[in-house]
Amino acid sequence: MIRKFTFGNPIQTGAVAKSIGAADSADFPFEHSLSDSFSLELTMDKTDIVYGLGEANRGINKRGWIYESWCSDDPFHTETKRALYAAHNFIILSGKSNLGIFIDFPSKIIWDMGYTETGKIKIVIEGRDFDLYTISAASPREVVREFRGLIGKSYTPPFWAFGFQQSRWSYHNEEAVDRIIDGYDKAKIPLDCVYLDIDYMQSYKDFTVDGDKFPNFAEFVAEKKARGIRLIPIIDAGVKVDDGYEVFEEGKQNGYFCKRADGSDFEGGVWPGICRFPDFMRQDVRDWFGSKYKFLTDMGIEGFWNDMNEPALFYSAEGISRALDQAAQLQGQNLDLGKFFKLKDTFAGLSNSAEDYASIYHIIDGEPVNHQRVHNIYGSNMTRAAGEYFEKEFGKGKILMFSRASYIGAHRWGGIWFGDNHSWWSHILLCLKMLPGANMCGFLYCGADLGGFNENATRDLALRFLALGVFTPLMRNHSALGTRDQECFAFEEPEDFRDIIQVRYRLIPYLYNTFQTANENDDMIFRPLSFDYPGDKIARECETQLMLGEECMIAPVYEQNASGRTVYLPEDMAFVKLSGERVTKQKLAKGVHYVDVELNEVPLFIKEGKKIPLCKPAMRTSLLDTEDIEYI
């Protein structure tokens, strides 16, 4: 059962696809208080589990920490962080009963999940205008189904987007792109996409191509597609301030950019230097910005990733001036502890500052609205701008689209990736733990930067990360400027990587069907074991394994120098190891087992009475024979 409670005059976020009448606020079921913010409390039993918050830090069970819904450009995903790139305001409190709560509010929410007081969930909504939905059902999975029915079907990508994808900051010219494709082909490792980061653009300007680096871009795109490779360019939120640049001139002349309080256009620094930012809250601006993707689709591009759309701000002119003034005042002084750290913090605080965000204004229904009130839906509306254009021009499921920042509702227009992670072993597990949360909130097409974006991946880390990525709908290897080469063919003995990637291609028909089934049934691809085995204490507390579809369980190896791992089977299962075209199978009884897994093997556990289809591997998804199937 779903009930809706409306407080104040909520800003319409687009999160909910099905209209529900509001209940009487006198029937609001939670202890609460109202001042400038709205606070409410829920009591937890000792064994209750808290699921949800989508793409969020720490465990599947969110108890014991404080989280913030505030889309944040923060590449250091350590346990101490409270906010990442997304704001997914949905939780499930599961115990003797199961209750879902969705707070449709586009500004900051603080979720104290038993951190301050062990047995209490304390939620602070930093505003007074919002819709709050409660969902009661017999199980957490049923709560998810009810919620998914409320927010609408998920975006579905093209079939080829389930192929393996290679990215880096940056393959900056034709020769660099060809080197990657040739490297994969020579090593006989399957590949479907190569990504173009910001260096393909002319001076980092959206919807441009650097003619020196890519002298005939349309022809180059066609040549790659003839080889079965799609090129996927990045699009950033900031539009470079540059006289004569068409996108900037159109935005300026038509008043499409976000404003300051005095009505002038807000400006902030990102990759190109000073930028202005489209006001994606407006339908006319979304229509305009979405139509700009035509510049690239006309040249044969069929996929994009939207980035820097929290929005990320490196600095503002005002912030730079304040910092330099402070530095000038301190010049020549003996900087004691207080003065030095104040200066240091001033410069460190230039990026993504609350003061800068508070100086931005949007126009909603003809009225100015401060950015702080709608921060969490900025990136989502950028995704919506693209998604609406693609659907109108090409129909559903024809263009690949995913984003860094997101809010519930954007799942109808695109997927997400989990942002700028690290080449840390702990981030294999972090990816695993994010998957069910993202699915709960409608984001089925999702995944992490395999191998880690920041720092240097070791060969064994890359292989183990990829072995998890075999199962994620978005399977993309991505690494940062200045890190070691992380492409699969760049490591010694690339045949081990070939074995892993071939497993992905053998599983694509199964994974694609599982994706479609989950979407049709308002369900999840990945589930915590506790969803399927609620009475099993070990399963309820397990956070290193996931159920996949209706057939199987995944349990990646996530520790360095480990020849395998301990795994818990909540029922009798077949332990399967996949490596290239090789399949080994062993029946295991319910209970705890140590299983050996070589670096070139992908472990999978199949339930009794279930089967998994496998096709023959191929170098591209377009070459897969999905009719010639064998079953495990």
Side-chain angles (χ1 to χ4, degrees):
M1 181 179 72
I2 302 178
R3 302 179 75 195
K4 173 185 176 182
F5 298 90
T6 296
F7 295 86
N9 184 26
I11 290 171
Q12 298 305 303
T13 66
V16 171
K18 184 167 68 175
S19 178
I20 291 179
D24 190 331
S25 59
D27 295 330
F28 190 64
F30 309 119
E31 182 181 337
H32 62 282
S33 61
L34 177 63
S35 56
D36 291 337
S37 298
F38 189 100
S39 303
L40 61 114
E41 287 191 1
L42 294 81
T43 301
M44 294 184 286
D45 288 338
K46 188 175 182 180
T47 58
D48 283 352
I49 294 175
V50 184
Y51 301 107
L53 294 185
E55 178 198 318
N57 204 2
R58 294 205 169 207
I60 294 172
N61 186 351
K62 300 302 180 188
R63 285 191 74 150
W65 190 240
I66 299 180
Y67 300 86
E68 292 181 5
S69 292
W70 185 258
C71 296
S72 300
D73 171 25
D74 187 341
F76 294 96
H77 308 165
T78 57
E79 287 188 16
T80 57
K81 296 303 168 64
R82 299 181 176 186
L84 296 178
Y85 303 95
H88 299 154
N89 305 335
F90 174 63
I91 64 170
I92 302 172
L93 180 59
S94 177
K96 294 177 182 177
S97 60
N98 297 282
L99 176 68
I101 298 174
F102 171 51
I103 303 173
D104 194 4
F105 178 68
S107 189
K108 184 178 289 186
I109 303 175
I110 299 171
W111 310 79
D112 185 333
M113 305 295 202
Y115 174 81
T116 301
E117 192 174 344
T118 305
K120 297 278 189 182
I121 294 176
K122 299 181 179 181
I123 304 171
V124 177
I125 304 165
E126 295 196 353
R128 304 174 62 165
D129 304 296
F130 59 92
D131 289 318
L132 187 148
Y133 297 80
T134 63
I135 306 171
S136 301
S139 69
R141 192 171 183 181
E142 283 302 315
V143 171
V144 171
R145 286 179 174 140
E146 290 285 325
F147 179 58
R148 293 286 311 284
L150 177 70
I151 62 176
K153 300 298 183 188
S154 301
Y155 159 82
T156 300
F159 181 77
W160 55 260
F162 284 77
F164 181 62
Q165 307 176 26
Q166 180 60 56
S167 184
R168 182 175 177 84
W169 175 25
S170 191
Y171 304 132
H172 62 284
N173 60 20
E174 290 186 354
E175 292 73 21
V177 172
D178 283 333
R179 179 180 66 82
I180 298 308
I181 300 170
D182 292 343
Y184 273 94
D185 284 354
K186 183 178 179 181
K188 296 182 172 58
I189 300 173
L191 179 69
D192 263 83
C193 303
V194 174
Y195 280 70
L196 303 178
D197 211 316
I198 54 176
D199 294 304
Y200 83 91
M201 302 177 190
Q202 184 184 76
S203 303
Y204 308 129
K205 293 186 287 190
D206 281 342
F207 311 116
T208 66
V209 175
D210 189 316
D212 292 331
K213 298 172 182 177
F214 296 92
N216 191 333
F217 190 64
E219 183 179 305
F220 187 69
V221 171
E223 288 173 358
K224 300 315 114 180
K225 190 174 178 182
R227 294 181 66 177
I229 299 292
R230 265 85 174 184
L231 301 183
I232 314 296
I234 196 170
I235 301 294
D236 286 338
V239 173
K240 180 178 173 68
V241 172
D242 187 6
D243 292 340
Y245 165 38
E246 180 183 20
V247 181
F248 167 69
E249 293 289 359
E250 288 182 9
K252 180 177 68 172
Q253 290 166 15
N254 292 288
Y256 288 154
F257 295 126
C258 297
K259 305 299 181 185
R260 294 188 180 94
D262 63 5
S264 63
D265 288 349
F266 172 82
E267 295 184 342
V270 205
W271 301 116
I274 294 295
C275 291
R276 296 184 188 176
F277 296 83
D279 186 356
F280 294 119
M281 305 301 143
R282 295 165 48 186
Q283 183 66 55
D284 60 335
V285 177
R286 291 197 297 271
D287 291 343
W288 165 72
F289 194 84
S291 71
K292 291 298 155 188
Y293 287 83
K294 186 175 188 296
F295 171 79
L296 291 161
T297 58
D298 279 353
M299 289 192 274
I301 293 297
E302 298 176 85
F304 300 88
W305 50 313
N306 284 348
D307 197 10
M308 306 294 286
N309 53 352
E310 293 72 32
L313 298 175
F314 292 168
Y315 62 88
S316 67
E318 295 85 352
I320 287 283
S321 294
R322 287 192 297 269
L324 292 176
D325 286 347
Q326 185 176 341
Q329 292 170 14
L330 295 173
Q331 188 172 3
Q333 291 190 31
N334 180 11
L335 302 186
D336 60 15
L337 179 69
K339 289 179 180 178
F340 170 74
F341 279 100
K342 184 178 180 182
L343 179 65
K344 178 174 177 287
D345 291 345
T346 296
F347 280 91
L350 284 173
S351 296
N352 307 316
S353 78
E355 195 169 355
D356 285 339
Y357 285 138
S359 68
I360 303 172
Y361 284 83
H362 304 270
I363 303 300
I364 299 177
D365 297 329
E367 298 296 326
V369 174
N370 190 269
H371 176 81
Q372 301 277 56
R373 294 186 59 200
V374 294
H375 173 81
N376 288 336
I377 57 173
Y378 185 82
S380 289
N381 277 297
M382 182 185 179
T383 300
R384 180 179 175 184
E388 287 176 336
Y389 173 73
F390 297 148
E391 186 172 322
K392 180 180 70 174
E393 288 294 313
F394 304 102
K396 289 187 176 182
K398 302 299 184 183
I399 303 293
L400 172 61
M401 163 53 58
F402 61 96
S403 170
R404 191 169 76 176
S406 62
Y407 184 87
I408 293 169
H411 70 285
R412 300 195 297 275
W413 305 111
I416 55 173
W417 93 100
F418 299 151
D420 297 344
N421 62 358
H422 277 68
S423 296
W424 295 340
W425 287 88
S426 62
H427 278 186
I428 297 178
L429 267 190
L430 183 58
C431 171
L432 180 94
K433 293 173 181 180
M434 285 182 176
L435 290 169
N439 280 192
M440 289 177 201
C441 296
F443 293 97
L444 297 184
Y445 191 76
C446 60
D449 286 344
L450 302 175
F453 178 71
N454 292 295
E455 299 185 11
N456 297 309
T458 60
R459 180 177 184 273
D460 54 347
L461 170 66
L463 283 163
R464 295 301 196 196
F465 223 141
L466 286 165
L468 169 59
V470 158
F471 301 106
T472 60
L474 170 61
M475 187 185 188
R476 182 177 77 148
N477 180 335
H478 186 37
S479 55
L481 185 73
T483 62
R484 73 184 296 185
D485 290 344
Q486 195 172 288
E487 297 82 11
C488 295
F489 63 83
F491 292 97
E492 62 178 325
E493 299 180 38
E495 58 270 20
D496 286 349
F497 290 85
R498 179 170 65 238
D499 288 340
I500 297 289
I501 306 302
Q502 282 185 340
V503 171
R504 166 59 169 226
Y505 279 70
R506 300 200 74 192
L507 284 167
I508 283 176
Y510 169 68
L511 296 171
Y512 187 77
N513 182 66
T514 301
F515 181 104
Q516 298 285 26
T517 301
N519 203 8
E520 290 166 10
N521 296 332
D522 295 329
D523 208 346
M524 302 160 66
I525 301 169
F526 302 100
R527 301 182 305 282
L529 269 62
S530 52
F531 274 41
D532 291 39
Y533 307 95
D536 185 325
K537 186 175 186 297
I538 299 177
R540 279 180 62 80
E541 295 183 0
C542 179
E543 297 220 342
T544 65
Q545 304 166 204
L546 293 176
M547 303 307 297
L548 168 63
E550 299 301 323
E551 296 81 10
C552 53
M553 180 180 76
I554 60 173
V557 179
Y558 55 89
E559 293 180 308
Q560 189 163 27
N561 302 319
S563 59
R565 60 161 290 170
T566 299
V567 64
Y568 174 66
L569 273 57
E571 62 174 278
D572 295 352
M573 293 183 176
F575 169 44
V576 177
K577 292 193 286 188
L578 302 167
S579 181
E581 296 192 59
R582 300 182 299 279
V583 179
T584 62
K585 186 173 67 173
Q586 175 187 0
K587 285 194 173 183
L588 295 177
K590 173 182 176 179
V592 177
H593 302 267
Y594 186 88
V595 295
D596 289 304
V597 182
E598 297 293 337
L599 284 172
N600 67 337
E601 293 177 331
V602 178
L604 184 62
F605 300 84
I606 302 177
K607 297 164 66 174
E608 286 283 347
K610 301 293 184 179
K611 60 184 180 181
I612 298 291
L614 295 175
C615 65
K616 295 289 185 183
M619 288 295 290
R620 311 281 188 258
T621 54
S622 59
L623 300 176
L624 287 173
D625 184 351
T626 58
E627 301 298 321
D628 183 13
I629 296 292
E630 64 176 279
Y631 289 90
I632 311 172

